Amino acid sequence: MNKATYIREPEMNHKKTFAYHLDFKRAMWKRPYLDAFIARLGKWGYNALVCEMEDKFRFDHLSAVNHPEAWTHAAVSDFAAKCRKAGIQVIPLMQSLGHLEFIVGKKEYAHLREAPGLTAHIDVTNPDSIPFLINLIDEIIEAFRPPQYVHLGGDETRQLGNSRRCAPLMKKIGRGGLYLKHMLPLLEHIHKRGLTPIIWADMALTYPDIIAKMPKYAAFMEWEYYLTSERAKKVIVWGGFGSGNNQLNRGQLRKKADLPFRRNLMKYALDDQSRKDGLLNAFYCTDALLAKGFKVLTAPANRCSGDLVGIPISSRHVPNCFYFSRKGMRVGAGTLVTSWAVRHNHPEVDLPGTYAAAWGLEKKGDFHSDEFWKAYTAEMYGVELPGFAEGVTLAENGEKIPFLHAQTLRNLSTNGVKTISLKNLPADLAFKLGGKNKARLYLENVLGGYGKASAMFKRFQKKARRNAGNLEYWLEGIAVNGLLLRLTLAILNKSL
């Protein structure tokens, strides 16, 4: 184990955290571009970065894991020091249970898997797991020297306990208990180093009875990427391992919610205002965790599941970032705008959501789309660009088309086309869109919209007084989606 030398100064006082998520695990940032990007974030008021490095950090003892472009300790230290000098704290994120494909997915570390086929989870019953992870966490701390937080991930561990090895212990303490058994020693280790551990909140919310057993020094980061208002007809109720999550309305909460939810969370979702407006508290989990005495940061997204390969769904991300970032900054310890590189579209086209989080901090009342897009184009391009919102709407169309989603392309590239069943695609589209003719008409309309959007963005380029190059990324994203849409049409017409 590495000798731990860096301990954060306990007397440091920190303001609320307004952070951006740098996801290195699917796309590597070039340093000059990253420096310019961070300068923009600083201009917009961001004061922190969450760096999710995975194999892009060069671990001393994980030669089988390290990516060729991985940053050395010296490069990480230099980057973090320059950020601190600019008033931006850097928060390293080291996965600690699930999403560990980059380690346990390798044959060299297969002995740490819960089961041979579970390449994302580390085995919580293996006595080597905790020392192994602590060694890596300490190495990251020594390189980043974080002033306040270390993020331990811990999200989406839905396969935990699925093996025969874990079955006896799971029967005794439950899956929530397995989660606690693994996470508590890691949380305590960070705390003893004078730092605050952060974990994603979804698994504690999946098994809310374990919340009372979590240490109050830990901070929860609640992620919610799809709600676009403070009051909602439906809210997410986190599901159990393998059962998924549910979007439930007021009546369904009363009928379907299980006992742990009713006992711990119900009154925050179905609050006093619900009797007046008939709606639910959209971000009730934040309020529940705050009421239970925890430090809470919110986490909206400017890029996540459901986005198209080339273009994000800004109509969802912009209000989501507006409302949820404002929630975290007003009542919590801060916020993090997440940006998941696995969705492939370029960070330059995700900037509307990034800006919306900052813009919303000074706003009272509801989100107004026209006002936002005027402000965004004036800030980004030095001039208001009427019609920009329409161009974005046309460019983001096509959520119903499988080939426009990053998950489909990953399956194509990693598993072969047979896993996608190209043979069944015409029938699937026809079923989804109400018949083959309607499917064809839908695709042709979307493609026509792309053509119109492309023409609009070219006009915007000519009018822009600064950052005109940013619009090239929009044009590129539209072109990529257009190519995939034409592929879909060819398959539908059997003219491939």
Coordinates of all heavy atoms in Angstrom, one line a residue, residues 339-399:
S339 N -21.4 15.1 -17.4 CA -21.3 15.0 -18.9 C -20.7 13.7 -19.3 O -19.5 13.6 -19.3 CB -20.5 16.2 -19.4 OG -20.5 16.3 -20.8
W340 N -21.5 12.7 -19.7 CA -21.0 11.3 -19.8 C -20.5 11.1 -21.2 O -21.3 11.1 -22.2 CB -22.2 10.4 -19.5 CG -22.6 10.6 -18.1 CD1 -23.7 11.2 -17.6 CD2 -21.9 10.1 -16.9 NE1 -23.7 11.2 -16.2 CE2 -22.6 10.6 -15.8 CE3 -20.7 9.4 -16.7 CZ2 -22.2 10.3 -14.5 CZ3 -20.3 9.2 -15.4 CH2 -21.0 9.6 -14.3
A341 N -19.2 10.9 -21.4 CA -18.6 10.8 -22.7 C -19.0 9.6 -23.4 O -18.8 9.5 -24.6 CB -17.0 10.8 -22.5
V342 N -19.5 8.6 -22.7 CA -20.0 7.4 -23.4 C -21.1 7.7 -24.4 O -21.4 6.9 -25.3 CB -20.5 6.4 -22.3 CG1 -21.8 6.9 -21.7 CG2 -20.7 5.0 -22.9
R343 N -21.7 8.8 -24.3 CA -22.8 9.2 -25.3 C -22.2 9.9 -26.5 O -22.9 10.2 -27.4 CB -23.7 10.2 -24.6 CG -24.4 9.6 -23.4 CD -25.1 8.3 -23.6 NE -25.3 7.5 -22.4 CZ -25.6 6.3 -22.3 NH1 -25.9 5.6 -23.5 NH2 -25.8 5.7 -21.2
H344 N -20.9 10.1 -26.6 CA -20.2 10.4 -27.8 C -20.3 11.8 -28.3 O -19.3 12.3 -28.9 CB -20.5 9.4 -29.0 CG -20.1 8.0 -28.7 ND1 -18.8 7.7 -28.2 CD2 -20.7 6.8 -28.9 CE1 -18.7 6.4 -28.1 NE2 -19.9 5.8 -28.4
N345 N -21.4 12.5 -28.3 CA -21.4 13.8 -28.9 C -20.4 14.8 -28.2 O -20.1 14.6 -27.0 CB -22.8 14.4 -28.9 CG -23.5 14.5 -27.5 OD1 -23.1 15.2 -26.6 ND2 -24.5 13.6 -27.3
H346 N -20.0 15.7 -28.9 CA -18.8 16.5 -28.5 C -19.2 17.5 -27.4 O -20.3 18.1 -27.4 CB -18.3 17.3 -29.7 CG -16.9 17.8 -29.5 ND1 -16.6 19.0 -28.8 CD2 -15.7 17.3 -29.9 CE1 -15.3 19.2 -28.8 NE2 -14.7 18.2 -29.4
P347 N -18.3 17.8 -26.4 CA -18.6 18.8 -25.3 C -19.0 20.1 -25.9 O -19.7 20.9 -25.2 CB -17.2 18.8 -24.6 CG -16.6 17.5 -24.8 CD -17.0 17.1 -26.2
E348 N -18.5 20.5 -27.0 CA -18.9 21.8 -27.6 C -20.4 21.9 -27.8 O -21.0 23.0 -27.8 CB -18.1 22.1 -28.9 CG -16.7 22.4 -28.7 CD -16.4 23.7 -28.0 OE1 -17.0 24.8 -28.5 OE2 -15.7 23.8 -27.1
V349 N -21.1 20.8 -28.2 CA -22.5 20.9 -28.4 C -23.3 20.7 -27.1 O -24.5 20.8 -27.1 CB -23.0 19.9 -29.5 CG1 -22.4 20.3 -30.8 CG2 -22.7 18.5 -29.1
D350 N -22.6 20.4 -26.0 CA -23.2 20.3 -24.7 C -23.2 21.6 -23.9 O -23.7 21.6 -22.8 CB -22.5 19.2 -23.9 CG -22.5 17.8 -24.6 OD1 -23.6 17.5 -25.1 OD2 -21.5 17.1 -24.5
L351 N -22.6 22.6 -24.5 CA -22.5 23.9 -23.7 C -23.8 24.5 -23.3 O -23.8 25.2 -22.3 CB -21.6 24.8 -24.5 CG -20.1 24.5 -24.6 CD1 -19.4 25.4 -25.5 CD2 -19.5 24.5 -23.2
P352 N -24.9 24.4 -24.1 CA -26.1 25.0 -23.6 C -26.5 24.6 -22.2 O -26.9 25.4 -21.3 CB -27.2 24.6 -24.6 CG -26.4 24.5 -25.9 CD -25.1 23.9 -25.5
G353 N -26.5 23.3 -21.9 CA -26.7 22.8 -20.5 C -25.8 23.3 -19.5 O -26.1 23.6 -18.4
T354 N -24.5 23.3 -19.9 CA -23.4 23.9 -19.0 C -23.7 25.3 -18.6 O -23.6 25.7 -17.5 CB -22.1 23.8 -19.7 OG1 -21.9 22.4 -20.3 CG2 -20.9 24.1 -18.8
Y355 N -24.1 26.1 -19.6 CA -24.4 27.5 -19.4 C -25.7 27.7 -18.6 O -25.8 28.5 -17.7 CB -24.5 28.3 -20.7 CG -24.8 29.7 -20.5 CD1 -23.8 30.6 -20.0 CD2 -26.0 30.3 -20.9 CE1 -24.1 32.0 -19.9 CE2 -26.3 31.6 -20.7 CZ -25.3 32.5 -20.2 OH -25.6 33.8 -20.1
A356 N -26.7 26.8 -18.9 CA -28.0 26.9 -18.2 C -27.8 26.7 -16.7 O -28.6 27.4 -15.9 CB -29.0 25.8 -18.7
A357 N -26.9 25.9 -16.2 CA -26.7 25.7 -14.8 C -26.2 27.0 -14.2 O -26.6 27.3 -13.1 CB -25.7 24.6 -14.6
A358 N -25.3 27.7 -14.8 CA -24.8 29.0 -14.3 C -25.9 30.1 -14.4 O -26.0 30.9 -13.5 CB -23.5 29.4 -15.1
W359 N -26.5 30.1 -15.5 CA -27.5 31.2 -15.8 C -28.7 31.1 -14.8 O -29.2 32.1 -14.3 CB -28.1 31.0 -17.2 CG -29.0 32.0 -17.7 CD1 -28.7 33.3 -18.1 CD2 -30.4 31.8 -17.9 NE1 -29.9 34.0 -18.5 CE2 -30.9 33.1 -18.5 CE3 -31.3 30.8 -17.8 CZ2 -32.2 33.3 -18.8 CZ3 -32.6 30.9 -18.1 CH2 -33.1 32.2 -18.6
G360 N -29.1 29.9 -14.4 CA -30.2 29.7 -13.5 C -29.9 30.1 -12.1 O -30.9 30.4 -11.3
L361 N -28.7 30.3 -11.7 CA -28.4 30.6 -10.3 C -28.8 32.0 -10.0 O -29.1 32.4 -8.8 CB -26.9 30.5 -10.0 CG -26.3 29.1 -10.3 CD1 -24.8 29.1 -9.9 CD2 -27.1 28.0 -9.5
E362 N -29.0 32.9 -11.0 CA -29.4 34.3 -10.7 C -30.8 34.5 -11.0 O -31.3 35.6 -11.0 CB -28.5 35.2 -11.6 CG -27.0 35.1 -11.4 CD -26.6 35.4 -10.0 OE1 -27.2 36.3 -9.4 OE2 -25.7 34.7 -9.5
K363 N -31.6 33.4 -11.4 CA -32.9 33.5 -11.8 C -33.9 33.1 -10.7 O -33.6 32.1 -10.0 CB -33.2 32.7 -13.1 CG -32.4 33.2 -14.3 CD -32.8 34.6 -14.7 CE -31.9 35.0 -15.9 NZ -32.2 36.4 -16.3
K364 N -35.0 33.8 -10.6 CA -36.1 33.3 -9.8 C -37.3 32.9 -10.7 O -37.4 33.3 -11.8 CB -36.6 34.5 -8.9 CG -35.5 35.0 -7.9 CD -36.1 36.1 -7.1 CE -35.0 36.6 -6.1 NZ -35.5 37.8 -5.2
G365 N -38.1 32.0 -10.1 CA -39.2 31.5 -10.9 C -38.9 30.4 -11.9 O -37.8 29.8 -11.8
D366 N -39.8 30.3 -12.9 CA -39.7 29.2 -13.8 C -38.7 29.5 -14.9 O -38.3 30.6 -15.2 CB -41.0 28.9 -14.4 CG -42.0 28.3 -13.4 OD1 -41.5 27.7 -12.4 OD2 -43.2 28.5 -13.5
F367 N -38.3 28.4 -15.6 CA -37.4 28.5 -16.8 C -38.2 29.0 -18.0 O -39.3 28.6 -18.2 CB -36.8 27.1 -17.1 CG -36.1 27.1 -18.4 CD1 -34.8 27.6 -18.5 CD2 -36.7 26.5 -19.5 CE1 -34.1 27.5 -19.6 CE2 -36.0 26.5 -20.7 CZ -34.7 26.9 -20.8
H368 N -37.6 30.0 -18.7 CA -38.3 30.5 -19.9 C -37.3 30.3 -21.1 O -36.2 30.9 -21.2 CB -38.6 32.0 -19.8 CG -39.7 32.2 -18.7 ND1 -41.0 31.9 -18.9 CD2 -39.5 32.7 -17.5 CE1 -41.6 32.2 -17.8 NE2 -40.8 32.7 -16.9
S369 N -37.7 29.4 -22.0 CA -36.9 29.0 -23.1 C -36.4 30.2 -24.0 O -35.2 30.3 -24.3 CB -37.6 28.0 -24.0 OG -36.8 27.6 -25.1
D370 N -37.3 31.1 -24.4 CA -36.9 32.2 -25.3 C -35.8 33.1 -24.6 O -34.8 33.5 -25.2 CB -38.1 33.1 -25.6 CG -39.0 32.3 -26.6 OD1 -38.6 31.3 -27.2 OD2 -40.2 32.8 -26.7
E371 N -36.0 33.3 -23.3 CA -35.1 34.2 -22.6 C -33.7 33.5 -22.5 O -32.7 34.1 -22.6 CB -35.6 34.4 -21.1 CG -34.8 35.4 -20.3 CD -35.3 35.5 -18.9 OE1 -36.3 34.9 -18.5 OE2 -34.6 36.3 -18.1
F372 N -33.7 32.2 -22.2 CA -32.5 31.5 -22.1 C -31.7 31.5 -23.4 O -30.5 31.8 -23.4 CB -32.7 30.0 -21.7 CG -31.4 29.2 -21.9 CD1 -30.4 29.3 -21.0 CD2 -31.3 28.4 -23.0 CE1 -29.2 28.6 -21.1 CE2 -30.1 27.6 -23.2 CZ -29.1 27.8 -22.3
W373 N -32.3 31.2 -24.6 CA -31.6 31.1 -25.8 C -31.1 32.4 -26.3 O -30.0 32.5 -26.9 CB -32.4 30.4 -26.9 CG -32.6 28.9 -26.6 CD1 -33.7 28.3 -26.2 CD2 -31.5 27.9 -26.7 NE1 -33.4 26.9 -26.0 CE2 -32.1 26.7 -26.3 CE3 -30.2 28.0 -27.1 CZ2 -31.4 25.5 -26.3 CZ3 -29.5 26.8 -27.0 CH2 -30.0 25.6 -26.7
K374 N -31.8 33.5 -26.0 CA -31.3 34.8 -26.2 C -30.0 35.1 -25.4 O -29.0 35.6 -26.0 CB -32.3 35.9 -25.9 CG -33.5 36.0 -26.9 CD -34.4 37.1 -26.5 CE -35.6 37.2 -27.4 NZ -36.6 38.2 -27.0
A375 N -30.0 34.7 -24.1 CA -28.9 34.9 -23.3 C -27.7 34.0 -23.7 O -26.6 34.5 -23.7 CB -29.3 34.6 -21.8
Y376 N -28.0 32.8 -24.1 CA -26.9 31.9 -24.4 C -26.2 32.3 -25.7 O -25.0 32.4 -25.8 CB -27.5 30.5 -24.6 CG -26.4 29.5 -25.1 CD1 -25.4 29.1 -24.3 CD2 -26.4 29.1 -26.5 CE1 -24.4 28.2 -24.8 CE2 -25.4 28.2 -27.0 CZ -24.4 27.8 -26.1 OH -23.4 27.0 -26.6
T377 N -27.0 32.7 -26.7 CA -26.3 33.1 -28.0 C -25.6 34.4 -27.8 O -24.5 34.5 -28.4 CB -27.4 33.2 -29.1 OG1 -28.5 34.0 -28.8 CG2 -28.0 31.8 -29.5
A378 N -26.1 35.3 -27.0 CA -25.4 36.6 -26.8 C -24.1 36.3 -26.1 O -23.1 36.9 -26.4 CB -26.3 37.5 -26.0
E379 N -24.1 35.4 -25.1 CA -22.9 35.1 -24.4 C -21.9 34.3 -25.2 O -20.7 34.6 -25.3 CB -23.2 34.3 -23.1 CG -22.1 33.5 -22.5 CD -21.0 34.5 -21.9 OE1 -21.3 35.6 -21.6 OE2 -19.9 34.0 -21.8
M380 N -22.4 33.3 -26.0 CA -21.5 32.4 -26.7 C -21.0 33.0 -28.0 O -19.8 32.9 -28.3 CB -22.3 31.1 -27.0 CG -21.4 30.0 -27.5 SD -20.2 29.4 -26.3 CE -19.2 28.4 -27.3
Y381 N -21.9 33.7 -28.7 CA -21.5 34.2 -30.0 C -21.4 35.7 -30.2 O -21.2 36.2 -31.3 CB -22.5 33.6 -31.1 CG -22.7 32.1 -31.0 CD1 -23.8 31.5 -30.5 CD2 -21.6 31.3 -31.3 CE1 -24.0 30.1 -30.4 CE2 -21.7 29.9 -31.2 CZ -22.9 29.3 -30.7 OH -23.0 28.0 -30.6
G382 N -21.7 36.4 -29.1 CA -21.5 37.8 -29.1 C -22.7 38.6 -29.7 O -22.6 39.8 -29.9
V383 N -23.8 37.8 -30.0 CA -24.9 38.4 -30.7 C -26.1 37.5 -30.5 O -25.9 36.3 -30.5 CB -24.7 38.7 -32.2 CG1 -24.4 37.4 -32.9 CG2 -25.8 39.4 -32.8
E384 N -27.3 38.0 -30.2 CA -28.5 37.2 -30.2 C -28.7 36.6 -31.6 O -28.7 37.3 -32.6 CB -29.7 38.0 -29.7 CG -29.6 38.4 -28.2 CD -30.8 39.1 -27.8 OE1 -31.8 39.2 -28.5 OE2 -30.8 39.7 -26.6
L385 N -29.0 35.3 -31.6 CA -29.3 34.6 -32.9 C -30.7 34.1 -32.9 O -31.0 33.0 -32.4 CB -28.3 33.5 -33.0 CG -26.8 33.9 -33.2 CD1 -25.9 32.6 -33.2 CD2 -26.6 34.7 -34.4
P386 N -31.7 34.9 -33.4 CA -33.1 34.5 -33.5 C -33.1 33.2 -34.3 O -32.5 33.1 -35.3 CB -33.8 35.6 -34.2 CG -32.9 36.8 -33.9 CD -31.5 36.3 -33.9
G387 N -33.9 32.2 -33.9 CA -34.1 31.0 -34.6 C -33.1 29.9 -34.1 O -33.2 28.7 -34.5
F388 N -32.2 30.2 -33.2 CA -31.2 29.2 -32.7 C -31.9 28.1 -32.0 O -31.6 26.9 -32.2 CB -30.2 29.9 -31.8 CG -29.0 29.0 -31.6 CD1 -27.9 29.2 -32.4 CD2 -28.9 28.1 -30.5 CE1 -26.7 28.4 -32.2 CE2 -27.8 27.3 -30.3 CZ -26.7 27.5 -31.2
A389 N -32.9 28.4 -31.2 CA -33.7 27.3 -30.5 C -34.4 26.4 -31.5 O -34.4 25.2 -31.3 CB -34.7 28.0 -29.6
E390 N -34.9 27.0 -32.6 CA -35.5 26.1 -33.6 C -34.5 25.2 -34.2 O -34.8 24.0 -34.5 CB -36.2 27.0 -34.6 CG -36.9 26.2 -35.7 CD -37.4 27.0 -36.9 OE1 -37.3 28.3 -36.8 OE2 -37.9 26.4 -37.9
G391 N -33.3 25.7 -34.5 CA -32.3 24.9 -35.1 C -31.9 23.8 -34.2 O -31.7 22.6 -34.7
V392 N -31.8 24.0 -32.9 CA -31.4 23.0 -32.0 C -32.5 21.9 -31.9 O -32.2 20.7 -31.9 CB -31.2 23.6 -30.6 CG1 -31.1 22.5 -29.5 CG2 -29.9 24.5 -30.6
T393 N -33.8 22.4 -31.9 CA -34.9 21.4 -31.9 C -34.9 20.5 -33.1 O -35.1 19.3 -33.0 CB -36.2 22.2 -31.8 OG1 -36.3 23.0 -30.6 CG2 -37.4 21.2 -31.8
L394 N -34.6 21.0 -34.3 CA -34.5 20.2 -35.5 C -33.4 19.3 -35.4 O -33.4 18.1 -35.8 CB -34.4 21.1 -36.7 CG -35.7 21.9 -37.1 CD1 -35.3 23.0 -38.2 CD2 -36.8 21.0 -37.5
A395 N -32.2 19.7 -34.9 CA -31.0 18.9 -34.9 C -31.1 17.8 -33.9 O -30.5 16.7 -34.1 CB -29.8 19.8 -34.5
E396 N -31.9 17.9 -32.8 CA -32.0 16.9 -31.8 C -33.1 15.9 -32.0 O -33.3 15.0 -31.3 CB -32.1 17.5 -30.4 CG -33.5 18.1 -30.2 CD -33.7 18.7 -28.8 OE1 -32.7 19.0 -28.1 OE2 -34.8 18.9 -28.3
N397 N -33.8 16.0 -33.1 CA -34.9 15.1 -33.4 C -34.4 13.8 -33.8 O -33.3 13.6 -34.4 CB -35.8 15.7 -34.6 CG -37.2 15.1 -34.6 OD1 -37.6 14.3 -33.7 ND2 -37.9 15.4 -35.7
G398 N -35.2 12.7 -33.5 CA -34.8 11.4 -33.9 C -34.6 10.4 -32.7 O -33.9 9.4 -32.9
E399 N -35.1 10.7 -31.5 CA -34.9 9.8 -30.4 C -35.5 8.4 -30.6 O -35.1 7.5 -30.0 CB -35.6 10.4 -29.2 CG -34.8 11.5 -28.5 CD -35.4 11.9 -27.2 OE1 -36.3 12.8 -27.1 OE2 -35.0 11.4 -26.1

